Amino acid sequence: MNIADDAFAAGNSAGSSSFRRWVRVMPALLLVAAAAFVAAYYVPLHRAHVLLLEEQRKSNQKSKELEQTLSQVRGELQAKAAQVDKIEAERQQTEAAKKSGLERLEQIKAELAGKLDKHIKKGVAAVAVADGHAFVVLSESAVFLPNTVDVNPQGQGLLCQVSGALSASGGGQAPLRVGAVSGPPDSVPPALQAAYPTAWELSAVRAATVAQALQDKCAVAGARLSAVGHAEHDPAAAALGATKMPPGRVEISVALPAEPRDAK
């Protein structure tokens, strides 16, 4: 073998050895490259994917919480709306009842005025309704004999007419309240001052006398009657308003029956 052949053989041997080394190193290089790829691309992508999943989970949880809050708020709004509707219905019912009650009081007042029209035109009687009561006010001159506490014959008939009208307005057997107003403290007639030195005494006796006449002459049950003297104080003054009546007078009132309620 000559020198050239030896050199060629030596070159082939070296190349084969180098190739074998590359074959052995190549898997390691591929593994390193794969690891580098995983480290450079997959791991960040995986982390980003995990973060997205976590964000999605949080978003879903928040969405559920918002939906629950919205459902709760919607329920509260519906409850408030129902409450507002109930209050409005009650207000309308109250307004309707008030209007109906006022119309009824005006009707009763008109009925009483119609029955006592002649006396009202003479200025010796007046009618009013207030605070659930109907009032008939009579001048003392239309009821009593002058300078006495005795009921005159015309007064007896007037009292019976008044009690009948008020009883009809109050439901038939409603209590009648008799009050007497004597006017200013110094208004007691001289002829009565010895027996009734004060307006309180005079008004109390006149109220009791009218109640007695209603029982004896008008067949009103005594259990339905009450009598009180007001002296110069006048409970019906506000109800009468601008109606002018003499200071000395008799007031007979009846409590009006309550409005019937609709059955529920």
Side-chain angles (χ1 to χ4, degrees):
M1 182 176 299
N2 53 31
I3 295 174
D5 291 335
D6 291 339
F8 178 77
N12 286 339
S13 176
S16 176
S17 176
S18 176
F19 176 76
R20 285 194 297 272
R21 283 197 301 271
W22 276 107
V23 170
R24 289 194 298 269
V25 171
M26 185 62 66
L29 292 175
L30 291 174
L31 182 61
V32 171
F37 175 80
V38 169
Y41 295 98
Y42 177 76
V43 171
L45 288 175
H46 178 70
R47 289 177 179 174
H49 180 67
V50 170
L51 290 175
L52 287 174
L53 289 177
E54 180 64 18
E55 290 296 326
Q56 183 178 8
R57 185 190 68 78
K58 291 180 179 179
S59 178
N60 291 339
Q61 180 65 28
K62 189 173 182 179
S63 177
K64 289 181 181 179
E65 292 175 355
L66 289 174
E67 183 64 28
Q68 291 176 352
T69 302
L70 180 61
S71 177
Q72 181 179 356
V73 171
R74 188 182 296 114
E76 291 176 354
L77 287 176
Q78 291 175 349
K80 291 292 184 183
Q83 185 177 6
V84 169
D85 291 342
K86 180 180 179 182
I87 292 174
E88 178 62 18
E90 291 176 349
R91 185 192 67 79
Q92 292 180 359
Q93 184 178 3
T94 300
E95 289 294 327
K98 182 178 179 181
K99 181 178 179 181
S100 176
L102 291 174
E103 291 175 349
R104 178 170 168 271
L105 290 178
E106 289 302 317
Q107 180 183 359
I108 290 173
K109 181 178 178 181
E111 291 174 355
L112 288 172
K115 294 175 181 178
L116 300 172
D117 180 67
K118 180 176 64 174
H119 306 287
I120 293 174
K121 288 179 177 178
K122 290 180 179 180
V124 298
V127 298
V129 288
D131 300 326
H133 286 75
F135 296 85
V136 173
V137 181
L138 303 173
S139 169
E140 66 177 23
S141 63
V143 178
F144 300 104
L145 292 169
N147 297 320
T148 72
V149 294
D150 301 323
V151 176
N152 63 45
Q154 292 78 17
Q156 290 178 5
L158 179 57
L159 291 175
C160 292
Q161 187 178 359
V162 169
S163 64
L166 286 174
S167 295
S169 300
Q173 296 301 313
L176 296 179
R177 185 172 60 192
V178 180
V181 179
S182 296
D186 58 353
S187 63
V188 178
L192 298 175
Q193 288 179 359
Y196 314 107
T198 68
W200 281 109
E201 293 173 283
L202 178 60
S203 62
V205 170
R206 280 183 166 169
T209 301
V210 170
Q212 189 69 52
L214 289 172
Q215 176 179 285
D216 296 342
K217 305 298 182 181
C218 305
V220 178
R224 294 178 56 202
L225 295 166
S226 61
V228 59
H230 297 298
E232 72 272 18
H233 308 288
D234 187 0
L240 288 172
T243 303
K244 299 298 182 181
M245 290 289 293
R249 51 185 176 261
V250 173
E251 299 170 350
I252 306 175
S253 65
V254 64
L256 300 174
E259 282 288 327
R261 294 183 179 180
D262 296 333
K264 296 183 178 180

